[in-house]
Amino acid sequence: MNGGRLIAVVGPSGVGKDSLIDGLIAAAPALRRVRRVITRDAALGGEDFDPATPEAFAEAVQQGAFCLHWAAHGMQYGLPAGVLQTVRGGADCVANLSRSALPRAAEVFPRLVVLNVIAAPEVLARRLAGRGRETAEEIAGRLAQASKPLPSGLDVVTVVNDGPLEHAVAQALAALQKERA
């Protein structure tokens, strides 16, 4: 099976995954953004997502509505089932994933590429505080998870995003073009 790739953008909270995805889509419009379903209140902001109650999410899982789903930070996340068909059809899709979802993602998407986004701890702390979604304790917990290792055996490209976003986007695009070749 040739097909496209799922490009999983992972990294600690505050590293700028959604900003990097925005930059990638702007620079390479052929990439398709995956809109996730999340059991988070839409009023909390952040990425553009489809909110779901925990009950509705559980029902969607039972109905096979997701090609991939996982839990993280007290919420449930899902990629719509149609993403798998889009990738099989040859498109490259970009999604914000949790590091814990990567082993299952590699099973579902044979051509998975992981963009592991990193930044200095002080940059992460500043960004987390600036978005105003977490308490000081939650921020400390997220920072403690920042250096959590990735599962082994994956196709991983590390992107540094603690300077200008344009540099991180250029770094990611160059790596993705090499991976595609």
Side-chain angles (χ1 to χ4, degrees), residues 10-34:
V10 302
S13 296
V15 79
K17 295 180 294 287
D18 292 321
S19 296
L20 180 64
I21 291 171
D22 290 344
L24 288 171
I25 298 295
L31 293 174
R32 298 192 185 173
R33 177 192 314 267
V34 176

Side-chain angles (χ1 to χ4, degrees), residues 136-176:
E137 294 81 23
E138 290 170 329
I139 290 172
R142 288 181 183 259
L143 290 173
Q145 295 290 315
S147 60
K148 190 165 99 175
L150 295 177
S152 62
L154 300 172
D155 183 4
V156 178
V157 174
T158 298
V159 176
V160 179
N161 188 24
D162 57 9
L165 179 62
E166 297 78 25
H167 292 168
V169 170
Q171 192 179 55
L173 284 173
L176 290 172

Side-chain angles (χ1 to χ4, degrees), residues 88-177:
R88 285 181 176 162
D92 285 344
C93 293
V94 182
N96 181 336
L97 260 64
S98 171
R99 291 171 279 191
S100 66
L102 290 174
R104 179 70 182 130
E107 293 173 7
V108 174
F109 297 94
R111 297 191 64 223
L112 177 72
V113 176
V114 179
L115 288 182
N116 181 36
V117 188
I118 62 171
E122 61 273 11
V123 172
L124 296 176
R126 185 177 69 246
R127 289 177 181 167
L128 287 170
R131 70 186 190 183
R133 290 196 314 233
E134 295 95 358
T135 65
E137 294 81 23
E138 290 170 329
I139 290 172
R142 288 181 183 259
L143 290 173
Q145 295 290 315
S147 60
K148 190 165 99 175
L150 295 177
S152 62
L154 300 172
D155 183 4
V156 178
V157 174
T158 298
V159 176
V160 179
N161 188 24
D162 57 9
L165 179 62
E166 297 78 25
H167 292 168
V169 170
Q171 192 179 55
L173 284 173
L176 290 172
Q177 289 171 349

Side-chain angles (χ1 to χ4, degrees), residues 51-67:
T53 65
E55 298 79 16
F57 192 93
E59 184 174 324
V61 168
Q62 291 298 320
Q63 293 177 355
F66 305 119
C67 59

